[in-house]
Amino acid sequence: MEFLLAKYNYWFYILIMMVGFYAMISKNNLVKKMIGVSIFQAAIILFYVSIGAKRGATIPIIEHGHDAVHHIDPTAYINPLPHVLMLTAIVVSVSTLGVALALISKIYAKYGTIEEDEINEQLTDV
Amino acid sequence: MLIDIICIGLMSLGLFFFFATTIGILRLPDFYSRMQAAGKGDTLSSMLVLTGLAVYNLHHWSFGTLLVSVKIMFILVFIFMASPTASHHIIEAGYDAGVKPWTKGEEKNEQEGKEN
Amino acid sequence: MKLIGLIVVIATGLLLLWGVTDFPDWADPQSPASTHLSPHFLTESIEETAVPNVVTSVLGDYRGFDTMLETTVVFAAGIAVYTLLRRSRRKDLREKPEMIEEELPHQALIVKTICRLMAPFMQLYALYVIAHGHHSPGGGFQGGVILGASFILLAIGFDLKMVLKRMREKTTLVLGILGVLIFSGIGMVCVLLEKNFLDYSALSAILPATDIIMARSHGILGVEIGVALAVMANLVLIYVNLSSDGKYERGL
Amino acid sequence: MSNLQAPILLVTIPLLAAFFAALGGMLHRKISFPIALIAIILSFHQSIIVLLKVVNDGVINYRIGGWMPPFGIEYVVDHLNAMVLVVITFVSLISIIYSKLIVERELPDKIPQFYTLYLLLTTGLLGITITGDAFNLYVLLEISALATYALLALGKDRALISTFNYLILGTIGASLYLLGVGHLYIATGSLNMADLFRILPSLSGNSAVMVGFILIIVGVWIKMAFFPAHGWLPNAYTYAPSSSICLIAPLMTKVSVYIMIRIMFSVFSAEFTFANIAWQTAVVWCSVIAIIGGSLQALAQRDFRKMLTFLVVAEVGYMVGGVWLANEIGISGAILHILNDALMTLCLFLVAGILIFKTQRHQLMDFRGMFRKMPVTMGAFIIGALSMIGVPPTCGFFSKWYLIQGAIEAGRWEFMAALIFSSLVNAVLFFRIIEIGHFQHETDSHDHAEEKISEAPAIMLIPLVVVAIALVVIGLYTNDIVTNVIQHAVPVL
């Protein structure tokens, strides 16, 4: 029980990720696939941000008085690096989503549907 | 002490309304009534929670904390304007698209919930 | 297919679960992630870059190259969507018109009024977020997104043509390119001043009254402005193309 | 050391040029081609400087932003990536000159965008190769991926739907890579490859590190279309526009193989990677299946481009299998094959592009009478084909020779058999085409209208001839390349 509680964030990230992964693999609708991809990436973001957490620490904005900077206690602030990385990853996932939606929009214009099996039927008919 | 009581009261009221909103979105029969729950309940509850935060922030009375509280109140004003407008617009779009309102005695409109 | 998918998903999940067993506890102050690199960033940030917000200093300076490429990713996405969807005028004439019905004027009154009221505040707030990234949560990406959102809000509340009158297609493209160019241009200026790429301390040679440390701080600010411009313009570009299917006629 | 700016210029020149090509394209659509061309020539020049510097003086470290490595991002150029950098810039240079006319015909209203995306893709590939930071690699992977999606989706027929499948799989691959890097980060607290290499041996047996390794390798396998995850590649590449495929097909898979080698030997150590014999056997068997399956499916195709895409899948099997043979000869064969295969694939795709440019068709039967009509093109095609089969003195022979030697030394007879089998299949494939081209003439009167087909314009022929000559020259100088470059790139086992 202790063991389970100590890492509960990580259990949840796996759960969310698998939901997204399943949607990505088995959904037929292209938009739903993309939603799956987004969930998958969101789970990765949760994973990284969980790495950055630190018990008893606050956001990494150093409080400095007007006097010269003196000793800064690193344990009082959370780890900034994962947040920086995830800012990047969020931007990347948004960009991928944009391109994917553009593709879906073109697919819809061409085939008149966004269900994968119907598109495949059209492709095999020709 | 008084601040604590006010703050706890506001926040738990806010949480109650959030909870009610969630139940409403999940359980109400059709698009319009669900949007009703989302638009009204969400606005009210976030306003309550934010007011609670603003009050909580005045624990240490200084110019800085007052400024933060004022900023929170600003957020509140914008939510008050934006959230109902957004739900109004969504409902309008639904009406334009021809979503039929639910009338008493009908089955709960499950199909439409799945479609969206 | 679904069964195979389920099996793959469960197998991956079990693999990840096995991996978690050797993770340090959640929020453990003694975990390697918290003890290896981050103390350096936290203690040295103010001395080395004069930026109290460590996320900003890591984003803009220590890992500034990542951020530059990340801005390039947004730019690439903008160009990709533009390339895929934008119709050339010749073909456009032959397309059948959009099926969206004309909006009745009285219905949109509330929305239009509120949008008109909100947009300036949003833009003002966006500028605050960009400029205040050194001292409070914020920075180029967040500010750029808010700025882009304000234009998208106008496009939703009014219509696309109204926004395109204010943000012309060419302006959007030029701003998107300019933003990334500002970022990489600052980096190249550092190279020309015989320091390494993105070493903002070189800027102290050309900026008046700045020492090496303040030059880093100013460099980060310049970079954030570039990021904000690029993100804003490319988000608007993506939205405009997606919502009107590249026809620039009428959006949602 | 701080004065040598070549490593960063190599990457930033195409990047800046991408922005200027987009800006210039707004003024006039013909401006973007010269900008792109000049940028790639400069970048090629810088990569040569870097290669010579590495060969003479050893590893170059470049600190971006002037920060100490584990804290800032660092560029590390050693023998392995110096070679890959030259390959990338060379291929990019060749195919940009070559595709000028094709772009003007295929995408007349999207010329500036094409060159912008082209330069972004080149930047991404160069950056992936040169970077010494695990997370930075992910960002660059996504830049090149986004540019690839856009370039592939411009094609005809099924291009859209197959690009979408590629997008889903590519995103899964990149996300798995990111997740794996996260596992390494949580176990070590570092993102710098050299730093990880230093810390990881003390963490052997840590399950987080193991899972991180598996995730990264699987992610990269998906990206390079290795056997179980190869399904996306043939369709995505077949229907791509022939202007961009000459850049994408030779490089994307090779760069992914490079990432795999980099992760296996520069982040993890060879001892860690090859600790488990069962895995090693499994991977080699997968590559055997990839080689045999790819070759057989190539044999079944009637479309020339689709045939080539299946050969790409088979070649990926060569390289992955060669690396996982776990001996020095096999690994040097695999590294040499990165170089050779990039050029061979380039050569064949250039021929395919010329064929489509002149005849608008790409079936095998369309080669009828081509030797008479296009002698130079078909001459280059023969060199490329011989190299693919592995006939000396073309370079394809030497990498195959190394791979076979490696297989013998490791005792992996199945891999050796697969190599020989695929050479035979390639021989059948290409001699069939040569036979069609040489001896079958159009008999039906219907095709007489196309009798006018003649040699391609010089701007397309010269790059092709250069590549064909390079195939032979590299074959002749294989020994020098191996002793000067590849020997230093192979980890000590």
mmCIF file of all heavy atoms in Angstrom, chain C residues 18 22 36-37 40 48 61 63 65-66 68 73 82-83 180 195-197 216, chain D residues 5 15 19 62-63 65 67 71 75 110 113 133 135-136 189 195 206-207:
data_model
loop_
_atom_site.group_PDB
_atom_site.id
_atom_site.type_symbol
_atom_site.label_atom_id
_atom_site.label_comp_id
_atom_site.label_asym_id
_atom_site.label_seq_id
_atom_site.Cartn_x
_atom_site.Cartn_y
_atom_site.Cartn_z
ATOM 1 N N TRP C 18 6.419 -2.145 -15.148
ATOM 2 C CA TRP C 18 7.673 -2.717 -14.654
ATOM 3 C C TRP C 18 8.723 -1.614 -14.510
ATOM 4 O O TRP C 18 9.501 -1.583 -13.553
ATOM 5 C CB TRP C 18 8.148 -3.809 -15.624
ATOM 6 C CG TRP C 18 9.419 -4.444 -15.205
ATOM 7 C CD1 TRP C 18 9.657 -5.089 -14.032
ATOM 8 C CD2 TRP C 18 10.638 -4.472 -15.935
ATOM 9 N NE1 TRP C 18 10.950 -5.525 -13.998
ATOM 10 C CE2 TRP C 18 11.575 -5.172 -15.141
ATOM 11 C CE3 TRP C 18 11.030 -3.988 -17.188
ATOM 12 C CZ2 TRP C 18 12.883 -5.376 -15.570
ATOM 13 C CZ3 TRP C 18 12.320 -4.211 -17.612
ATOM 14 C CH2 TRP C 18 13.244 -4.898 -16.798
ATOM 15 N N ASP C 22 11.124 0.814 -10.404
ATOM 16 C CA ASP C 22 12.412 1.327 -9.955
ATOM 17 C C ASP C 22 12.501 2.840 -9.965
ATOM 18 O O ASP C 22 13.583 3.402 -9.786
ATOM 19 C CB ASP C 22 13.542 0.739 -10.823
ATOM 20 C CG ASP C 22 14.098 -0.522 -10.212
ATOM 21 O OD1 ASP C 22 13.528 -0.948 -9.181
ATOM 22 O OD2 ASP C 22 15.072 -1.074 -10.731
ATOM 23 N N HIS C 36 20.556 16.338 -9.622
ATOM 24 C CA HIS C 36 21.677 16.373 -10.563
ATOM 25 C C HIS C 36 21.840 17.737 -11.223
ATOM 26 O O HIS C 36 22.838 18.428 -11.021
ATOM 27 C CB HIS C 36 21.515 15.289 -11.614
ATOM 28 C CG HIS C 36 22.692 15.159 -12.526
ATOM 29 N ND1 HIS C 36 23.970 14.988 -12.061
ATOM 30 C CD2 HIS C 36 22.794 15.206 -13.868
ATOM 31 C CE1 HIS C 36 24.800 14.927 -13.076
ATOM 32 N NE2 HIS C 36 24.114 15.059 -14.188
ATOM 33 N N LEU C 37 20.847 18.147 -12.009
ATOM 34 C CA LEU C 37 20.995 19.402 -12.746
ATOM 35 C C LEU C 37 20.266 20.563 -12.111
ATOM 36 O O LEU C 37 20.749 21.685 -12.123
ATOM 37 C CB LEU C 37 20.470 19.232 -14.184
ATOM 38 C CG LEU C 37 21.234 18.322 -15.118
ATOM 39 C CD1 LEU C 37 20.641 18.388 -16.506
ATOM 40 C CD2 LEU C 37 22.692 18.724 -15.185
ATOM 41 N N HIS C 40 21.746 23.385 -9.810
ATOM 42 C CA HIS C 40 22.605 24.353 -10.476
ATOM 43 C C HIS C 40 21.767 25.473 -11.081
ATOM 44 O O HIS C 40 22.060 26.651 -10.889
ATOM 45 C CB HIS C 40 23.414 23.657 -11.573
ATOM 46 C CG HIS C 40 24.262 24.589 -12.377
ATOM 47 N ND1 HIS C 40 25.568 24.877 -12.061
ATOM 48 C CD2 HIS C 40 23.983 25.329 -13.477
ATOM 49 C CE1 HIS C 40 26.056 25.736 -12.923
ATOM 50 N NE2 HIS C 40 25.118 26.021 -13.807
ATOM 51 N N GLU C 48 23.852 34.293 -12.958
ATOM 52 C CA GLU C 48 24.367 34.191 -14.325
ATOM 53 C C GLU C 48 23.520 34.905 -15.361
ATOM 54 O O GLU C 48 24.018 35.308 -16.401
ATOM 55 C CB GLU C 48 24.510 32.713 -14.718
ATOM 56 C CG GLU C 48 25.635 32.033 -13.979
ATOM 57 C CD GLU C 48 25.788 30.573 -14.321
ATOM 58 O OE1 GLU C 48 24.924 30.020 -15.020
ATOM 59 O OE2 GLU C 48 26.771 29.983 -13.881
ATOM 60 N N ASP C 61 17.747 30.607 -22.145
ATOM 61 C CA ASP C 61 19.193 30.699 -22.220
ATOM 62 C C ASP C 61 19.901 29.354 -22.136
ATOM 63 O O ASP C 61 20.533 28.927 -23.090
ATOM 64 C CB ASP C 61 19.687 31.629 -21.109
ATOM 65 C CG ASP C 61 21.065 32.165 -21.439
ATOM 66 O OD1 ASP C 61 21.693 31.634 -22.351
ATOM 67 O OD2 ASP C 61 21.506 33.111 -20.776
ATOM 68 N N ARG C 63 18.818 26.318 -22.217
ATOM 69 C CA ARG C 63 18.367 25.456 -23.303
ATOM 70 C C ARG C 63 17.700 26.289 -24.386
ATOM 71 O O ARG C 63 16.688 25.896 -24.969
ATOM 72 C CB ARG C 63 17.414 24.385 -22.778
ATOM 73 C CG ARG C 63 18.042 23.461 -21.753
ATOM 74 C CD ARG C 63 17.130 22.318 -21.400
ATOM 75 N NE ARG C 63 16.992 21.404 -22.497
ATOM 76 C CZ ARG C 63 17.845 20.413 -22.747
ATOM 77 N NH1 ARG C 63 18.876 20.224 -21.987
ATOM 78 N NH2 ARG C 63 17.649 19.622 -23.771
ATOM 79 N N PHE C 65 18.529 26.813 -27.327
ATOM 80 C CA PHE C 65 18.536 26.215 -28.659
ATOM 81 C C PHE C 65 17.295 25.351 -28.870
ATOM 82 O O PHE C 65 16.683 25.384 -29.930
ATOM 83 C CB PHE C 65 19.806 25.385 -28.825
ATOM 84 C CG PHE C 65 20.077 24.976 -30.237
ATOM 85 C CD1 PHE C 65 20.289 25.916 -31.207
ATOM 86 C CD2 PHE C 65 20.125 23.649 -30.583
ATOM 87 C CE1 PHE C 65 20.533 25.546 -32.511
ATOM 88 C CE2 PHE C 65 20.376 23.271 -31.883
ATOM 89 C CZ PHE C 65 20.579 24.221 -32.842
ATOM 90 N N ASP C 66 16.927 24.609 -27.817
ATOM 91 C CA ASP C 66 15.675 23.851 -27.868
ATOM 92 C C ASP C 66 14.514 24.764 -28.202
ATOM 93 O O ASP C 66 13.668 24.437 -29.030
ATOM 94 C CB ASP C 66 15.392 23.231 -26.499
ATOM 95 C CG ASP C 66 15.854 21.802 -26.413
ATOM 96 O OD1 ASP C 66 16.323 21.286 -27.429
ATOM 97 O OD2 ASP C 66 15.761 21.231 -25.323
ATOM 98 N N MET C 68 14.521 27.621 -29.655
ATOM 99 C CA MET C 68 14.557 28.122 -31.017
ATOM 100 C C MET C 68 13.976 27.082 -31.980
ATOM 101 O O MET C 68 13.162 27.396 -32.844
ATOM 102 C CB MET C 68 15.997 28.440 -31.412
ATOM 103 C CG MET C 68 16.107 29.111 -32.733
ATOM 104 S SD MET C 68 17.810 29.390 -33.140
ATOM 105 C CE MET C 68 18.084 28.089 -34.294
ATOM 106 N N VAL C 73 9.447 24.524 -34.997
ATOM 107 C CA VAL C 73 8.401 23.500 -35.176
ATOM 108 C C VAL C 73 7.068 24.175 -35.443
ATOM 109 O O VAL C 73 6.328 23.783 -36.356
ATOM 110 C CB VAL C 73 8.307 22.591 -33.927
ATOM 111 C CG1 VAL C 73 7.087 21.721 -33.999
ATOM 112 C CG2 VAL C 73 9.531 21.737 -33.795
ATOM 113 N N TYR C 82 -0.427 25.661 -44.226
ATOM 114 C CA TYR C 82 -0.631 26.616 -45.316
ATOM 115 C C TYR C 82 -0.416 25.945 -46.667
ATOM 116 O O TYR C 82 -1.207 26.102 -47.595
ATOM 117 C CB TYR C 82 0.336 27.776 -45.115
ATOM 118 C CG TYR C 82 0.298 28.836 -46.181
ATOM 119 C CD1 TYR C 82 -0.724 29.768 -46.218
ATOM 120 C CD2 TYR C 82 1.293 28.912 -47.135
ATOM 121 C CE1 TYR C 82 -0.767 30.736 -47.192
ATOM 122 C CE2 TYR C 82 1.269 29.881 -48.113
ATOM 123 C CZ TYR C 82 0.227 30.787 -48.145
ATOM 124 O OH TYR C 82 0.200 31.736 -49.111
ATOM 125 N N THR C 83 0.668 25.163 -46.756
ATOM 126 C CA THR C 83 0.967 24.503 -48.028
ATOM 127 C C THR C 83 -0.118 23.506 -48.401
ATOM 128 O O THR C 83 -0.503 23.390 -49.557
ATOM 129 C CB THR C 83 2.307 23.753 -47.926
ATOM 130 O OG1 THR C 83 3.239 24.609 -47.299
ATOM 131 C CG2 THR C 83 2.815 23.349 -49.272
ATOM 132 N N VAL C 180 10.656 33.986 -35.898
ATOM 133 C CA VAL C 180 11.741 33.002 -35.839
ATOM 134 C C VAL C 180 13.059 33.650 -36.228
ATOM 135 O O VAL C 180 14.111 33.325 -35.697
ATOM 136 C CB VAL C 180 11.453 31.793 -36.737
ATOM 137 C CG1 VAL C 180 12.042 30.578 -36.115
ATOM 138 C CG2 VAL C 180 10.002 31.603 -36.954
ATOM 139 N N LYS C 195 31.342 35.006 -30.329
ATOM 140 C CA LYS C 195 31.019 34.097 -29.245
ATOM 141 C C LYS C 195 30.256 32.926 -29.857
ATOM 142 O O LYS C 195 29.985 32.921 -31.048
ATOM 143 C CB LYS C 195 30.142 34.800 -28.202
ATOM 144 C CG LYS C 195 30.904 35.772 -27.321
ATOM 145 C CD LYS C 195 31.611 35.027 -26.214
ATOM 146 C CE LYS C 195 32.313 35.977 -25.256
ATOM 147 N NZ LYS C 195 31.469 36.673 -24.347
ATOM 148 N N ASN C 196 29.872 31.965 -29.001
ATOM 149 C CA ASN C 196 29.121 30.833 -29.532
ATOM 150 C C ASN C 196 27.696 31.239 -29.871
ATOM 151 O O ASN C 196 27.212 32.275 -29.422
ATOM 152 C CB ASN C 196 29.104 29.698 -28.516
ATOM 153 C CG ASN C 196 30.379 28.902 -28.583
ATOM 154 O OD1 ASN C 196 31.261 29.200 -29.382
ATOM 155 N ND2 ASN C 196 30.483 27.889 -27.761
ATOM 156 N N PHE C 197 27.058 30.384 -30.649
ATOM 157 C CA PHE C 197 25.670 30.633 -31.036
ATOM 158 C C PHE C 197 24.806 30.767 -29.787
ATOM 159 O O PHE C 197 24.913 29.980 -28.849
ATOM 160 C CB PHE C 197 25.188 29.473 -31.898
ATOM 161 C CG PHE C 197 23.882 29.700 -32.582
ATOM 162 C CD1 PHE C 197 23.781 30.589 -33.624
ATOM 163 C CD2 PHE C 197 22.761 29.016 -32.176
ATOM 164 C CE1 PHE C 197 22.578 30.794 -34.264
ATOM 165 C CE2 PHE C 197 21.557 29.210 -32.813
ATOM 166 C CZ PHE C 197 21.462 30.104 -33.863
ATOM 167 N N ARG C 216 22.577 38.960 -20.998
ATOM 168 C CA ARG C 216 21.829 37.700 -21.081
ATOM 169 C C ARG C 216 20.349 37.942 -20.824
ATOM 170 O O ARG C 216 19.484 37.419 -21.529
ATOM 171 C CB ARG C 216 22.387 36.703 -20.077
ATOM 172 C CG ARG C 216 23.707 36.105 -20.520
ATOM 173 C CD ARG C 216 24.058 34.915 -19.659
ATOM 174 N NE ARG C 216 25.320 34.334 -20.087
ATOM 175 C CZ ARG C 216 25.422 33.467 -21.089
ATOM 176 N NH1 ARG C 216 24.357 33.093 -21.745
ATOM 177 N NH2 ARG C 216 26.597 32.979 -21.423
ATOM 178 N N GLN D 5 33.257 27.741 -35.799
ATOM 179 C CA GLN D 5 31.794 27.852 -35.783
ATOM 180 C C GLN D 5 31.142 26.893 -36.762
ATOM 181 O O GLN D 5 29.924 26.883 -36.880
ATOM 182 C CB GLN D 5 31.375 29.285 -36.131
ATOM 183 C CG GLN D 5 31.936 30.340 -35.223
ATOM 184 C CD GLN D 5 31.227 30.384 -33.893
ATOM 185 O OE1 GLN D 5 30.319 29.602 -33.641
ATOM 186 N NE2 GLN D 5 31.645 31.290 -33.024
ATOM 187 N N LEU D 15 18.620 26.612 -41.825
ATOM 188 C CA LEU D 15 17.474 27.087 -41.043
ATOM 189 C C LEU D 15 17.141 28.519 -41.403
ATOM 190 O O LEU D 15 15.992 28.856 -41.725
ATOM 191 C CB LEU D 15 17.801 26.969 -39.557
ATOM 192 C CG LEU D 15 16.695 27.335 -38.589
ATOM 193 C CD1 LEU D 15 15.563 26.359 -38.724
ATOM 194 C CD2 LEU D 15 17.200 27.337 -37.180
ATOM 195 N N PHE D 19 13.802 30.515 -43.682
ATOM 196 C CA PHE D 19 12.991 31.712 -43.442
ATOM 197 C C PHE D 19 13.121 32.689 -44.600
ATOM 198 O O PHE D 19 12.138 33.284 -45.034
ATOM 199 C CB PHE D 19 13.418 32.390 -42.141
ATOM 200 C CG PHE D 19 13.457 31.458 -40.976
ATOM 201 C CD1 PHE D 19 14.438 31.533 -40.014
ATOM 202 C CD2 PHE D 19 12.496 30.481 -40.847
ATOM 203 C CE1 PHE D 19 14.472 30.662 -38.955
ATOM 204 C CE2 PHE D 19 12.518 29.597 -39.798
ATOM 205 C CZ PHE D 19 13.511 29.691 -38.852
ATOM 206 N N TYR D 62 30.982 21.561 -29.284
ATOM 207 C CA TYR D 62 30.561 22.941 -29.468
ATOM 208 C C TYR D 62 29.482 23.233 -28.443
ATOM 209 O O TYR D 62 28.449 22.550 -28.399
ATOM 210 C CB TYR D 62 30.031 23.144 -30.884
ATOM 211 C CG TYR D 62 29.680 24.574 -31.188
ATOM 212 C CD1 TYR D 62 30.618 25.421 -31.727
ATOM 213 C CD2 TYR D 62 28.412 25.069 -30.921
ATOM 214 C CE1 TYR D 62 30.309 26.740 -32.003
ATOM 215 C CE2 TYR D 62 28.095 26.380 -31.201
ATOM 216 C CZ TYR D 62 29.049 27.206 -31.744
ATOM 217 O OH TYR D 62 28.731 28.508 -32.010
ATOM 218 N N ARG D 63 29.709 24.240 -27.599
ATOM 219 C CA ARG D 63 28.740 24.558 -26.548
ATOM 220 C C ARG D 63 27.823 25.662 -27.031
ATOM 221 O O ARG D 63 28.261 26.782 -27.228
ATOM 222 C CB ARG D 63 29.454 25.027 -25.297
ATOM 223 C CG ARG D 63 30.314 23.975 -24.693
ATOM 224 C CD ARG D 63 31.091 24.591 -23.579
ATOM 225 N NE ARG D 63 32.014 23.619 -23.036
ATOM 226 C CZ ARG D 63 32.901 23.906 -22.116
ATOM 227 N NH1 ARG D 63 32.983 25.147 -21.654
ATOM 228 N NH2 ARG D 63 33.708 22.977 -21.665
ATOM 229 N N GLY D 65 25.361 28.574 -26.655
ATOM 230 C CA GLY D 65 25.120 29.514 -25.574
ATOM 231 C C GLY D 65 26.281 29.620 -24.620
ATOM 232 O O GLY D 65 26.212 30.335 -23.628
ATOM 233 N N TRP D 67 27.374 27.458 -22.525
ATOM 234 C CA TRP D 67 27.175 26.824 -21.215
ATOM 235 C C TRP D 67 27.917 25.505 -21.135
ATOM 236 O O TRP D 67 28.076 24.806 -22.124
ATOM 237 C CB TRP D 67 25.681 26.591 -20.954
ATOM 238 C CG TRP D 67 24.918 27.854 -20.862
ATOM 239 C CD1 TRP D 67 24.013 28.315 -21.759
ATOM 240 C CD2 TRP D 67 25.008 28.830 -19.841
ATOM 241 N NE1 TRP D 67 23.537 29.514 -21.364
ATOM 242 C CE2 TRP D 67 24.121 29.864 -20.181
ATOM 243 C CE3 TRP D 67 25.747 28.959 -18.664
ATOM 244 C CZ2 TRP D 67 23.947 30.990 -19.398
ATOM 245 C CZ3 TRP D 67 25.574 30.080 -17.889
ATOM 246 C CH2 TRP D 67 24.686 31.086 -18.255
ATOM 247 N N PHE D 71 24.606 21.264 -18.492
ATOM 248 C CA PHE D 71 23.591 22.284 -18.218
ATOM 249 C C PHE D 71 23.044 22.875 -19.504
ATOM 250 O O PHE D 71 21.849 23.071 -19.643
ATOM 251 C CB PHE D 71 24.184 23.377 -17.332
ATOM 252 C CG PHE D 71 24.738 22.827 -16.071
ATOM 253 C CD1 PHE D 71 26.096 22.789 -15.839
ATOM 254 C CD2 PHE D 71 23.897 22.280 -15.132
ATOM 255 C CE1 PHE D 71 26.595 22.241 -14.689
ATOM 256 C CE2 PHE D 71 24.386 21.727 -13.975
ATOM 257 C CZ PHE D 71 25.751 21.701 -13.744
ATOM 258 N N TYR D 75 26.946 20.357 -28.936
ATOM 259 C CA TYR D 75 27.088 19.624 -30.177
ATOM 260 C C TYR D 75 28.354 18.803 -30.098
ATOM 261 O O TYR D 75 29.412 19.324 -29.748
ATOM 262 C CB TYR D 75 27.216 20.588 -31.354
ATOM 263 C CG TYR D 75 25.910 20.981 -31.980
ATOM 264 C CD1 TYR D 75 24.710 20.538 -31.456
ATOM 265 C CD2 TYR D 75 25.867 21.790 -33.098
ATOM 266 C CE1 TYR D 75 23.522 20.889 -32.029
ATOM 267 C CE2 TYR D 75 24.678 22.157 -33.676
ATOM 268 C CZ TYR D 75 23.506 21.706 -33.138
ATOM 269 O OH TYR D 75 22.328 22.050 -33.710
ATOM 270 N N LYS D 110 3.265 26.221 -55.534
ATOM 271 C CA LYS D 110 3.745 26.047 -54.150
ATOM 272 C C LYS D 110 5.253 25.997 -54.081
ATOM 273 O O LYS D 110 5.820 25.353 -53.212
ATOM 274 C CB LYS D 110 3.143 24.777 -53.563
ATOM 275 C CG LYS D 110 1.690 24.999 -53.265
ATOM 276 C CD LYS D 110 0.973 23.801 -52.769
ATOM 277 C CE LYS D 110 -0.464 24.190 -52.471
ATOM 278 N NZ LYS D 110 -1.338 23.075 -52.268
ATOM 279 N N GLN D 113 6.931 27.430 -50.737
ATOM 280 C CA GLN D 113 6.655 26.558 -49.598
ATOM 281 C C GLN D 113 7.457 25.275 -49.697
ATOM 282 O O GLN D 113 7.958 24.767 -48.705
ATOM 283 C CB GLN D 113 5.160 26.211 -49.532
ATOM 284 C CG GLN D 113 4.260 27.346 -49.185
ATOM 285 C CD GLN D 113 3.633 27.933 -50.421
ATOM 286 O OE1 GLN D 113 4.325 28.354 -51.345
ATOM 287 N NE2 GLN D 113 2.318 27.965 -50.469
ATOM 288 N N ASP D 133 22.516 16.057 -27.347
ATOM 289 C CA ASP D 133 21.556 16.179 -26.253
ATOM 290 C C ASP D 133 20.319 15.374 -26.609
ATOM 291 O O ASP D 133 19.760 15.510 -27.693
ATOM 292 C CB ASP D 133 21.189 17.655 -26.079
ATOM 293 C CG ASP D 133 20.405 17.896 -24.828
ATOM 294 O OD1 ASP D 133 19.195 17.671 -24.836
ATOM 295 O OD2 ASP D 133 21.017 18.307 -23.839
ATOM 296 N N PHE D 135 17.230 15.321 -25.557
ATOM 297 C CA PHE D 135 15.938 15.971 -25.771
ATOM 298 C C PHE D 135 15.951 16.828 -27.024
ATOM 299 O O PHE D 135 14.966 16.881 -27.760
ATOM 300 C CB PHE D 135 15.554 16.824 -24.573
ATOM 301 C CG PHE D 135 14.166 17.363 -24.675
ATOM 302 C CD1 PHE D 135 13.087 16.560 -24.373
ATOM 303 C CD2 PHE D 135 13.926 18.647 -25.109
ATOM 304 C CE1 PHE D 135 11.807 17.031 -24.504
ATOM 305 C CE2 PHE D 135 12.648 19.120 -25.238
ATOM 306 C CZ PHE D 135 11.583 18.316 -24.931
ATOM 307 N N ASN D 136 17.079 17.491 -27.253
ATOM 308 C CA ASN D 136 17.219 18.296 -28.458
ATOM 309 C C ASN D 136 16.949 17.444 -29.693
ATOM 310 O O ASN D 136 16.334 17.888 -30.660
ATOM 311 C CB ASN D 136 18.636 18.862 -28.466
ATOM 312 C CG ASN D 136 18.780 19.999 -29.431
ATOM 313 O OD1 ASN D 136 19.623 19.961 -30.298
ATOM 314 N ND2 ASN D 136 17.951 21.006 -29.307
ATOM 315 N N GLY D 189 18.742 12.035 -14.062
ATOM 316 C CA GLY D 189 18.669 13.475 -13.875
ATOM 317 C C GLY D 189 19.412 14.252 -14.929
ATOM 318 O O GLY D 189 19.678 15.428 -14.764
ATOM 319 N N ASP D 195 26.963 12.808 -20.623
ATOM 320 C CA ASP D 195 26.706 12.692 -19.193
ATOM 321 C C ASP D 195 25.952 11.403 -18.878
ATOM 322 O O ASP D 195 26.264 10.695 -17.915
ATOM 323 C CB ASP D 195 25.898 13.919 -18.763
ATOM 324 C CG ASP D 195 26.054 14.211 -17.299
ATOM 325 O OD1 ASP D 195 27.143 13.942 -16.773
ATOM 326 O OD2 ASP D 195 25.092 14.695 -16.692
ATOM 327 N N ASN D 206 18.714 -1.436 -13.251
ATOM 328 C CA ASN D 206 17.586 -0.580 -12.905
ATOM 329 C C ASN D 206 16.507 -0.740 -13.973
ATOM 330 O O ASN D 206 16.762 -0.573 -15.161
ATOM 331 C CB ASN D 206 18.098 0.876 -12.872
ATOM 332 C CG ASN D 206 17.052 1.836 -12.388
ATOM 333 O OD1 ASN D 206 15.906 1.755 -12.780
ATOM 334 N ND2 ASN D 206 17.454 2.730 -11.520
ATOM 335 N N SER D 207 15.278 -1.070 -13.527
ATOM 336 C CA SER D 207 14.259 -1.386 -14.539
ATOM 337 C C SER D 207 13.853 -0.144 -15.311
ATOM 338 O O SER D 207 13.476 -0.235 -16.480
ATOM 339 C CB SER D 207 13.045 -2.026 -13.878
ATOM 340 O OG SER D 207 12.336 -1.065 -13.151
#
